[in-house]
Amino acid sequence: MNVSDFNFELPQELIAQDPLKDRSSSRLLVLDRETGEVEHRGFREIVSYLKKGDCLVLNDTKVIPARLFGVKEDTQAKIEVLLLKRREHDVWETLVKPGKKAKPGTVLLFGDGMLKGTVADVVEEGNRLIQFAYDGIFEEILDRLGQMPLPPYITHQLQDKNRYQTVYAKHEGSAAAPTAGLHFTKELLEQIEQMGVKIARVTLHVGLGTFRPVKVENVLDHHMHSEYYMVEEAAAEMINTTKKQGGRVICVGTTSCRTIESAATEDGMVKAGRGWTEIFIYPGYRFRVLDGLLTNFHLPESTLVMLVSALAGREHVLSAYQEAVRQRYRFFSFGDAMFIK
């Protein structure tokens, strides 16, 4: 199975650069994973595909304004830092540009010294461990100085930080948004709950690896980045009860899918807990918990296209993507949605 098997042609102008004014006004392509048939709907019509007894699984992670612009203390040379993972206290694993200027011992200043960082070590893939020092509360300083870490294919500046957050974002820690959830409004979620659909919230802090290209030719040689997840007792119980009662478990986004599949036991039950996952889902994977997936349209040759292909079949997915291109759907983070039933 080669990475090139998951390639498709995408006109540049179909990459959505800005979020729509109304979150729920996106389009929705519905794919039947058994037949490959597609339907074209509006996102609000997702309610037509949900029914009482189903369980919708949301990833309630919150994106932090993780992109910092500063200077080197000694030369005043400009430098950019992207926070990836909090290792301990005020030590973060980061991506630094230009990396060659960030040797261990280098001191970086942000916001005229409001935040100070010292490069402590160089770790895998050239990432830097940085020890931060400051007066006050780190999160408040980051909110003042940091920018949202938008994906590299989005070139427009985001006017409203909240548009790169879901309306149910709660636990801070992501370097990227779980974008399938960006389509929901609070009103739409309330409507879904009133229908008798249960809503379970889990957490997976999305890392930068989401955007990293697969650099190997053979899919099986790819090593997934690790991401931190949490499944509370109440969410596990809600999902497991749904399965026992014959309801469907429908994940909002590939991150919710990876979370519950990481927490699943062999018999298809979800176990509460927290930890790091490197789960890689590609065709041939047997889903233990998930029955349906609401997701966005993903990059060619990405691990996310491989995940949806594992669920619906590579041919069905690529055919649906070709149809989405023909119908001028909007692609990627701020784009339209797809429901695989």
Side-chain angles (χ1 to χ4, degrees), residues 100-138:
K100 289 178 182 176
K101 292 186 179 179
K103 296 185 170 112
T106 302
V107 177
L108 311 173
L109 302 177
F110 307 93
D112 296 323
M114 185 188 299
L115 183 64
K116 189 174 181 178
T118 304
V119 179
D121 200 2
V122 180
V123 292
E124 62 177 325
E125 296 184 342
N127 292 346
R128 267 62 177 171
L129 292 186
I130 295 181
Q131 170 81 56
F132 287 102
Y134 51 89
D135 289 324
I137 298 170
F138 183 77

Side-chain angles (χ1 to χ4, degrees), residues 186-285:
K186 287 182 178 177
E187 293 76 18
L188 186 55
L189 285 170
E190 284 170 10
Q191 182 186 349
I192 289 169
E193 276 193 293
Q194 286 165 5
M195 290 167 53
V197 176
K198 296 187 280 287
I199 295 182
R201 290 168 170 81
V202 299
T203 308
L204 182 134
H205 292 319
V206 190
L208 192 71
T210 297
F211 306 121
R212 281 206 171 117
V214 179
K215 293 178 180 175
V216 295
E217 188 175 335
N218 188 328
V219 169
L220 305 184
D221 293 334
H222 178 66
H223 178 69
M224 285 290 282
H225 56 287
S226 62
E227 294 170 316
Y228 188 75
Y229 77 91
M230 298 181 287
V231 178
E232 301 294 347
E233 211 53 76
E237 188 177 335
M238 190 180 287
I239 294 166
N240 293 337
T241 300
T242 299
K243 296 295 280 189
K244 287 171 185 171
Q245 294 177 347
R248 297 176 302 165
V249 174
I250 296 166
C251 287
V252 175
T254 56
T255 60
S256 300
C257 164
R258 293 180 67 239
T259 303
I260 64 168
E261 291 293 320
S262 295
T265 58
E266 281 295 332
D267 60 355
M269 292 291 107
V270 173
K271 193 176 179 183
R274 56 189 63 202
W276 295 89
T277 179
E278 295 178 351
I279 191 170
F280 182 19
I281 297 175
Y282 52 85
Y285 178 84

